[in-house]
Structure formats: structure tokens, C-alpha cells
Amino acid sequence: MTFEFEYPDNLRYTESHEYVRLEGEIATIGISSFAIRELGDIVFFELPKVGDTIVAGEPIGTVESVKAVAELYAPVSGTVTAQHGDVVDDPALVMDDPYDDGWLFQVRVDNPDTALAGTLGAGEYRARVEGEG
């Protein structure tokens, strides 16, 4: 892995280790560098499809590594507008750059004003995962 173990301040995080970047009403979703470190080499993603409706906190797919299979949970509610095909074809891209080129999918959120309720800021997330690590 070539990225630093970090939690960018411009993102919000979930306790299940997804991140979300909200720009207007479009949320870009991926998994944190902590999740990647815990999972090890990622070999497969099962992601929601374009047009799927997702609900915050509900399971929406899986990530499979050489160590384990983990559920992915929706950090926001809305309709999936894009799936990052390059990551589906080559899951290792997430390990190289989880926060920029390694995003998983995008969602048009139902309510941008409240979409991030229940997510954690970078400092809160860092404190929780450092306690886990």
C-alpha cells in the first residue's frame, strides 16, 4: 500500500469504516485506510448498482480480502448514481489510494441537509479506530 494511514478532514466516517464525501447532493463513498489495513489484500467488491435505493445503516454490499469477507453499510440514504468500474475490475486500486481514485460508488442523497447525521468527523473517527487498533 502506498498511501499514508490517514483520515482526511474533508470526509465523514462511519463506525463500520466507510467514508463519505458530500458535494452538493452527491455523496462519494469508499472505505477507510483503517478498514483496508484490517482487511489486508482486497480481491473483490460487491457494490450496489446504479439506480439502487440505499438506506443509511443498511447493508449494501461486501468487500472480500484474502483474510475475510466484510459487509459494506450505507453511510447515507439515496439513489446510486455511479459505480467505480475500475475498482470493481481491479480492487487493488482501493489499497493504493482509498480517498481519491479508490472511491466505490456515488449516491444522490435524499436530503443533503441531514445526510451526514450519524457520521463521525475525522478526529472522532481517528479516536475510535486508534482505540480498536
Side-chain angles (χ1 to χ4, degrees):
M1 290 183 246
T2 59
F3 64 92
E4 289 185 31
F5 192 60
E6 61 184 24
Y7 314 107
D9 289 330
N10 66 326
L11 304 176
R12 301 292 295 183
Y13 302 85
T14 66
E15 291 190 29
S16 55
H17 310 296
E18 293 82 14
Y19 71 78
V20 59
R21 177 185 299 114
L22 185 61
E23 297 170 304
E25 58 184 31
I26 301 298
T28 300
I29 297 162
I31 59 173
S32 73
S33 58
F34 177 84
I36 294 166
R37 184 186 76 182
E38 293 297 301
L39 286 166
D41 291 333
I42 296 171
V43 296
F44 180 76
F45 283 103
E46 177 185 62
L47 301 175
K49 295 181 181 14
V50 172
D52 285 356
T53 299
I54 64 172
V55 177
E58 296 292 317
I60 50 158
T62 57
V63 55
E64 184 177 337
S65 74
V66 296
K67 290 173 150 182
V69 175
E71 292 264 16
L72 294 171
Y73 294 90
V76 295
S77 297
T79 303
V80 177
T81 59
Q83 190 183 77
H84 192 189
D86 291 345
V87 166
V88 172
D89 293 341
D90 183 8
L93 290 174
V94 169
M95 297 168 54
D96 292 335
D97 188 5
Y99 300 116
D100 290 313
D101 292 336
W103 61 275
L104 300 178
F105 60 97
Q106 293 180 319
V107 174
R108 182 175 308 282
V109 297
D110 289 340
N111 186 343
D113 294 333
T114 61
L116 299 177
T119 62
L120 305 169
E124 294 170 289
Y125 182 71
R126 180 179 296 107
R128 289 186 190 231
V129 298
E130 287 175 0
E132 287 181 30

